[in-house]
Structure formats: structure tokens, C-alpha cells
Amino acid sequence: MTQIPPQFWSGPAVAAALAECDLPTILEEVRQAHGWTQAQLAEAVGYSQSWVSKVLRGRQPLTVDQVREISIRIGVPLHLLRFGARGDDDPTKRRDFGKAVALTALAGVALPKRLDVDETTAATLTSITGAQRRLEAITPARELARPAVAQVDLANRVLGRASRSPSADEVRAGLSEAAGFAAWVHADMQDTGSARFYYRRAIDSARQADNALLAAYMIGSLAAFEIDADDPLTGLNLLARARREIGERPPATARAWLLSIEALGHATVRDEAAALEALRMAESAVRAGERAAAPPWPWVFPFDHAKLAGYRALVTVRLKRPGEAVAAFNESLSSAQLGAKQRGVLMTEVAAAEAMSGHYDEALYLASNALTVGTTYGSERVLHRVKTFRRAYAGPSSNALRSFDERLHATLL
């Protein structure tokens, strides 16, 4: 079977279908992408042509097990459907409002004039943004920028119609999440001005929705962005605001995540004691979070030990403890939820750690892999980290270094 390119899953029709768990549309899009007949599609999914024809026409109901089975056979990434491989499902429910709005948000077209705003509207907006967030791990940021901005615009216009309805605060929360995602996409593109604009909008909308947890999430996201942009003092001040926003008894996931970002901020200003203490408290929060059934919204994935290990790798590189950084990086690889772009960022950091230890060939190998990630997924953030690694590299000249430089220069040109 020909491999479908990652960007296929971020196309407007496919992304909308993923947001709704609309398998008939997904099947038809996959069929067209491969150039298959219905008979060939039926062979691929292991059912008869007549049965597949009924599915495509919406006349054949499907069980959860059938959706999972068919998705696996044709290569649909299950996490984009919120499906687990072993039955731990959280499928997105269909809603009458959903498909029209999903296509509107992802394609950036006009809002339907007769769109009714009801109790399902906010949930559908959140579902669309959630689908975009799951797609981000496998999709170049530039391909997501337009639909992400369109989703913010859609949510804002929907809010205009819902401003006096009982669901207005929920729509404001949906607008906040959409703006936060738009900020993240622009940050990955190294468009810092747009990223800050959308983060501020996300924070304002969360506060207007009177949702302290969401506001803390957005403030923490802005803090992480500022630390990443080499302004750790601003980041640490923002984290203090996030803690005040979230209150004295936050969910364990929120506490672990904020503490991990705080550890990175302290490490960036070389406050080793504060950084290690924040990591210790984050570890405790992760253990407490293991008892929770699922992370609280707006977190999409659990903040587990492997994710914490990724932060520990970043922290220990900045503290110039390369051995610990490499060990933490290896532990982070066990996370099934670690996206390729984040892995690319980690590889550049651990490449720096290997260079500190005098393991120059290994450092260049990791940096080269990060360069591949940056080019494959169009991540300016990863490419910026690769260039930062190269500027700081003080190892000997070698064939490996010359080969790396040639690749880097070709990428930039």
C-alpha cells in the first residue's frame, strides 16, 4: 500500500472528518488519494464491495471496533480519532452543528448565515481545535496557520451571536483555546509578534470566560514561549501569575506542567538549586496525576514521566550536566505522545550535551537528525535550534562536520 503523506490528514475535508469521527468521509478521501476503485478500497479494508458502498453512502452503521479495525488497515492515525489501540477510547461524538462548522473553520470560508448557536456549539468548536492540535505533531506549521487563524475568526464570530446566550462563556473558552493554538503554530514558525498577539488574546478570552484553569494554561504557554525566546525572567514572572490564577489546589497535571516550565526558566538563568527543586516537585505532581482517569481540558495528553523526562533533558543541558541530559532524553523517547517536532527540539539540546562531553560525532548525528525533522515538518523552531547548536559547536573539524554544514547550508538556501 502506498504511504499517504502526513499533510493529507490536515486537509480541510479530512481534518473535519477526523474532528467528527466521520469514517465514510475519511474512507472516500483515502480512496481518492490512492486512486482506488471501490473494489480496491473494499479489498484494503477486508470487507465486501457492497458493504463498503453502503458505508460510503451512510447506510451502514459502524461499531467502535469496526471503526478502529478499518482505520488501522488503511493507516488512519488512531490518536487523531481519539481512539486507543487497546480499547481505551474517547471518540468524538457527532453533532448536527459539527460538520458545517468544521469545514468552515478549516477551509476559512464564510460563516453560514442561518447558523444556530446552542448548547452543542462550544463543544464543537473545542472539538475542531482539538483535532487541529492533534494534527500539529505531524503537520508543518505553515499548513496549519491558515486554518488555525480561520478557527479563531470563526470562534469570534460565533461568540458575537452567542454573547447573550447561556453558553457564551463556553464559546469564549473555545475562542481562547483556538487563539492559544494559533499562537503555538506561529511560535513554531518563529513569528514571535503573531505568537504574542494570539497568546494575549487567548488569555483575555479565558479570563472573560471566568475559567481560571484555562487562563493559567494560556499564561503558562506564554511563559514557556518567552523562556524559549531567551527571556527567562519574563517567563518566570508569568508563571507566578499563572499560579495565582490557578489557585491553591490545581489539578496534578497543571501543577506538573507549570513546575516543569518553571524548572526550565530557573535553569536558563543558571539557578541550579531552584531548577532541581522545581523538577522534584514536578515529579511528585506527575505521580499524583497517575491516579487521574484523564488530563483536564485544555490539556490534550497526560503529562507523564516521559514528558517530564523531556523537560529534565532541557533543564540539565542548561545546567551543563550532559550525562543526566542524555539519560533523560533516552527516557523521554518512551513517550508515545512526544511529537516529532518536540523530539527535534530535544535532539538539538542533547546534541549540545554530547558536545559538552566531547562526543562530537554523536552530537553531529543528533543535530543532523534534528535538521531532518525541521525540514520534514517545516518547523522553523527546530531549524533555529539547529543553527544555535552549530554556532556554539566548538569541536574539531571532521568529515562529519563538513557533511552537516553542507546539509544545513542547503536547507537554508
Side-chain angles (χ1 to χ4, degrees):
M1 183 187 298
T2 305
Q3 185 71 30
I4 294 179
Q7 58 267 31
F8 170 84
W9 305 107
S10 61
V14 177
L18 289 166
E20 294 185 280
C21 197
D22 179 2
L23 193 66
T25 297
I26 295 169
L27 281 172
E28 178 59 22
E29 293 293 327
V30 168
R31 185 188 72 77
Q32 292 183 25
H34 283 296
W36 286 342
T37 64
Q38 268 193 19
Q40 290 171 316
L41 175 62
E43 182 180 357
V45 300
Y47 285 84
S48 69
Q49 182 179 349
S50 62
W51 187 89
V52 168
S53 177
K54 290 179 182 178
V55 170
L56 294 177
R57 287 181 286 133
R59 296 183 180 178
Q60 176 64 49
L62 298 172
T63 66
V64 170
D65 286 340
Q66 284 175 324
V67 172
R68 185 190 300 107
E69 173 195 359
I70 291 170
S71 297
I72 290 172
R73 287 182 177 178
I74 62 173
V76 179
L78 293 184
H79 67 280
L80 299 182
L81 288 166
R82 296 184 183 176
F83 268 34
R86 298 179 300 278
D88 46 338
D89 307 319
D90 178 22
T92 303
K93 295 181 179 178
R94 294 172 180 263
R95 304 178 194 276
D96 292 338
F97 171 86
K99 190 165 186 176
V101 175
L103 287 169
T104 299
L106 293 164
V109 298
L111 187 68
K113 291 182 179 180
R114 295 187 178 182
L115 180 64
D116 293 326
V117 177
D118 57 27
E119 68 277 3
T120 70
T121 302
T124 304
L125 288 172
T126 299
S127 173
I128 296 167
T129 306
Q132 292 177 331
R133 289 172 68 180
R134 292 189 297 278
L135 284 166
E136 187 274 335
I138 60 171
T139 308
R142 293 192 181 280
E143 293 184 19
L144 286 172
R146 180 171 172 265
V149 171
Q151 172 73 347
V152 174
D153 181 54
L154 172 69
N156 190 54
R157 286 180 287 150
V158 170
L159 178 60
R161 299 187 185 189
S163 59
R164 296 185 179 180
S165 75
S167 60
D169 281 347
E170 293 179 357
V171 175
R172 289 187 183 97
L175 172 58
S176 173
E177 186 190 24
F181 178 71
W184 172 258
V185 169
H186 284 89
D188 194 46
M189 294 162 58
Q190 292 292 108
D191 183 350
T192 57
S194 296
R196 288 191 178 95
F197 169 80
Y198 283 111
Y199 275 131
R200 287 194 295 269
R201 190 165 188 182
I203 294 166
D204 288 344
S205 296
R207 284 173 167 166
Q208 291 167 13
D210 197 25
N211 189 321
L213 184 60
L214 180 61
Y217 177 86
M218 294 305 171
I219 296 171
S221 297
L222 177 57
F225 168 79
E226 295 295 354
I227 292 169
D228 195 53
D230 294 325
D231 190 356
L233 293 178
T234 295
L236 289 169
N237 286 330
L238 286 166
L239 288 168
R241 289 175 59 185
R243 285 195 298 274
R244 290 195 297 270
E245 197 91 31
I246 207 170
E248 296 181 358
R249 305 181 74 176
T253 294
R255 179 170 164 77
W257 179 70
L258 288 171
L259 283 166
S260 298
I261 299 170
E262 181 180 338
L264 186 56
H266 287 309
T268 305
V269 297
R270 302 291 190 270
D271 187 342
E272 181 170 327
L276 296 179
E277 176 61 14
L279 281 180
R280 185 192 65 76
M281 291 191 292
E283 178 74 30
S284 177
V286 167
R287 287 197 297 270
E290 290 176 338
R291 296 189 290 270
W297 183 80
W299 281 264
V300 174
F301 301 111
F303 193 89
D304 57 14
H305 289 281
K307 281 205 166 185
L308 177 59
Y311 277 95
R312 187 181 297 112
L314 296 173
V315 167
T316 48
V317 168
R318 283 161 174 72
L319 295 179
K320 299 190 182 301
R321 301 167 74 148
E324 294 177 44
V326 172
F329 173 69
N330 290 334
E331 183 183 349
S332 75
L333 295 180
S334 66
S335 175
Q337 291 146 20
L338 186 64
K341 297 176 197 175
Q342 185 58 27
R343 192 162 293 179
V345 168
L346 278 175
M347 280 193 283
T348 62
E349 298 281 346
V350 178
E354 293 284 17
M356 286 180 208
S357 301
H359 303 150
Y360 298 114
D361 285 347
E362 182 64 21
L364 291 168
Y365 172 77
L366 287 168
S368 182
N369 283 345
L371 179 59
T372 299
V373 170
T375 54
T376 300
Y377 293 96
S379 175
E380 291 295 330
R381 179 172 175 243
V382 175
L383 293 176
H384 174 73
R385 293 297 188 95
V386 173
K387 289 188 288 183
T388 299
F389 161 82
R390 180 62 184 94
R391 284 196 300 270
Y393 182 82
S397 179
S398 64
N399 289 334
L401 180 61
R402 285 188 287 273
S403 176
F404 174 78
D405 282 343
E406 287 174 4
R407 283 196 62 210
L408 181 58
H409 294 155
T411 298
L412 297 178
L413 291 173

